[in-house]
Amino acid sequence: MRNNYQKIIEKCGFVDVPVETGIDFKAEILRLKKEKNAVILGHYYITPELQDISDFLGDSLALAQHAEKIIADIILFVGVHFMAETAKILNPGKKVIVPDMKAGCSLADSTPGADFERFIRLHPGHIVISYINCSAEVKALSDVIVTSSNAKKIVESFPKDQKIIFAPDKNLGNYLNSVTGRSMVLWDGACMVHEKYSLEKIIDLKNEHPDAEIIAHPECERPVLMVADYIGSTTALLNYTTTNKSHKYIVATESGILHQMQLKNPDKIFLPAPSIDSTCGCNDCSFMKLNSIKKLYLALKYEEPEIILSKELLLKARNPILRMLELS
Ligand code: 13P
Ligand code: SF4
């Protein structure tokens, strides 16, 4: 089966992988899920169509917490590679598959394990706190992992004079330094979606809609965070729009979350924050959007591509993630 799928992709490229004519992908996915005892985990940034067929939808923290407890045989992880790796590390007995192995992350890609190891050696006496958006190799080099939901709490769990390296997101790191009063040494990585927001255009939009609140993910650059009325992780932003009284929001994070905001708040208005080039679809994470319904179907059919990690790496990367879950 495995070789078959790989060979077909190599031969015709993914878009031309043949499927049965007139296939109802959604119905087939539901059938295969039942037949193979599989569950679908999805991140808020995938398309609304894929969000709607996920068994569990969440931000990075909720997905990690949920993945650890799954008893089904197969986890189909619809998000990006580091998230699926985290699920495998937390639940190594399960087969973890993804719709597209190329769904990576600019933050994770900014931190090759060997370079990061050298960086750590240059800073003796520092502990290493890594954002979950990194490879298993980088996790294995870290003392504790954080997500945007728990980063502040975990940083503050260390003594004030503790020297800390924070990687890979310099924007989240800067934000954490500002709210915790720490001076963590930052790795120079950024998210290609969140660093593309245009402060000028956001202010123009706010002038057009003075009744709108600006809400932003801490992966955004400092100038955007400075004009935000509320800063929080994806789940925190979603909860804020649900519990807060304002009826209009300018949302500076990946556009996929607008689907859930709108579903939970049908009477409220959500405006995507504009990017430097509003014609480029910069608010979409091109990695997250590599996932498609056809790829979900094929992944379940062939049980491929699968996340495979060496035993040694699984073990080394596990402890810093478990430490995060304990501290969350
Ligand atoms: P959260 O899911 O922690 O909000 O992170 C956002 C993100 O960029 C995921 O890649
Ligand atoms: Fe990575 Fe940014 Fe995409 Fe999240 S939105 S997966 S941080 S590139």
Side-chain angles (χ1 to χ4, degrees):
M1 264 310 208
R2 161 192 298 220
N3 290 337
N4 212 5
Y5 186 38
Q6 291 310 327
K7 273 185 205 153
I8 299 169
I9 292 183
E10 275 159 33
K11 198 167 154 209
C12 34
F14 181 78
V15 270
D16 296 323
V17 174
V19 288
E20 303 81 344
T21 1
I23 186 169
D24 178 343
F25 285 123
K26 197 177 161 193
E28 278 303 298
I29 287 168
L30 294 177
R31 185 185 66 74
L32 285 167
K33 235 176 46 168
K34 214 167 162 191
E35 181 187 306
K36 300 187 177 214
N37 191 24
V39 288
I40 303 178
L41 302 193
H43 188 272
Y44 286 131
Y45 294 172
I46 58 178
T47 60
E49 181 188 32
L50 303 186
Q51 290 186 30
D52 294 346
I53 56 165
S54 295
D55 296 300
F56 182 85
L57 198 61
D59 69 353
S60 306
L61 177 62
L63 285 163
Q65 287 166 328
H66 193 75
E68 195 190 15
K69 297 189 204 103
I70 281 175
I71 47 169
D73 297 316
I74 297 179
I75 299 173
L76 172 54
F77 206 111
V78 191
V80 289
H81 188 264
F82 75 81
M83 296 177 178
E85 253 185 5
T86 306
K88 180 72 187 176
I89 294 164
L90 285 169
N91 208 336
K94 306 298 171 195
K95 184 174 210 176
V96 178
I97 53 173
V98 294
D100 191 329
M101 213 46 136
K102 290 196 279 309
C105 165
S106 65
L107 272 171
D109 291 348
S110 77
T111 328
D115 294 353
F116 192 52
E117 202 168 359
R118 270 192 294 278
F119 186 76
I120 295 172
R121 265 193 256 118
L122 289 175
H123 298 89
H126 288 64
I127 60 145
V128 180
I129 302 184
S130 294
Y131 190 32
I132 199 164
N133 300 35
C134 64
S135 65
E137 284 78 12
V138 168
K139 288 186 175 77
L141 293 164
S142 309
D143 293 291
V144 63
I145 301 302
V146 300
T147 76
S148 51
S149 286
N150 57 22
K152 181 171 178 280
K153 186 175 174 194
I154 293 180
V155 169
E156 284 176 336
S157 73
F158 291 96
K160 272 215 169 278
D161 58 352
Q162 173 66 58
K163 292 179 184 165
I164 302 174
I165 290 174
F166 184 83
D169 188 5
K170 64 179 172 190
N171 292 317
L172 176 61
N174 269 320
Y175 170 71
L176 289 168
N177 276 343
S178 73
V179 292
T180 63
R182 312 286 168 121
S183 2
M184 298 187 292
V185 176
L186 308 181
W187 178 265
D188 188 15
C191 161
M192 63 179 201
V193 179
H194 291 89
E195 70 174 354
K196 287 265 166 60
Y197 291 111
S198 156
L199 178 64
E200 247 184 4
K201 288 186 190 172
I202 290 177
I203 290 170
D204 287 349
L205 190 61
K206 170 82 180 172
N207 287 336
E208 274 172 48
H209 301 271
D211 53 337
E213 281 195 35
I214 301 173
I215 58 172
H217 195 282
E219 286 176 20
C220 293
E221 291 181 328
R222 194 197 301 263
V224 171
L225 296 182
M226 282 177 75
V227 296
D229 298 291
Y230 181 76
I231 299 166
S233 67
T234 312
T235 297
L237 295 179
L238 179 60
N239 292 342
Y240 182 74
T241 59
T242 309
T243 52
N244 186 50
K245 280 202 203 81
S246 297
H247 76 289
K248 205 185 268 184
Y249 299 87
I250 296 171
V251 184
T253 193
E254 214 272 355
S255 56
I257 191 62
L258 270 69
H259 178 55
Q260 291 304 315
M261 287 176 173
Q262 203 67 76
L263 280 178
K264 288 195 162 46
N265 306 283
D267 300 329
K268 293 186 178 178
I269 297 165
F270 299 98
L271 307 165
S275 298
I276 327 171
D277 175 1
S278 24
T279 57
C280 73
C282 298
N283 293 4
D284 285 337
C285 172
S286 54
F287 295 114
M288 290 278 183
K289 265 48 179 195
L290 279 176
N291 297 298
S292 69
I293 190 117
K294 180 180 170 188
K295 289 180 192 173
L296 258 74
Y297 160 71
L298 288 169
L300 273 177
K301 178 175 172 180
Y302 291 100
E303 298 178 26
E304 277 280 308
E306 183 182 355
I307 301 288
I308 309 272
L309 295 169
S310 73
K311 262 198 184 142
E312 197 196 347
L313 189 54
L314 273 173
L315 279 175
K316 279 192 183 156
R318 191 174 159 82
N319 280 341
I321 308 177
L322 290 181
R323 197 166 174 198
M324 166 186 86
L325 295 179
E326 277 159 26
L327 290 169
S328 294

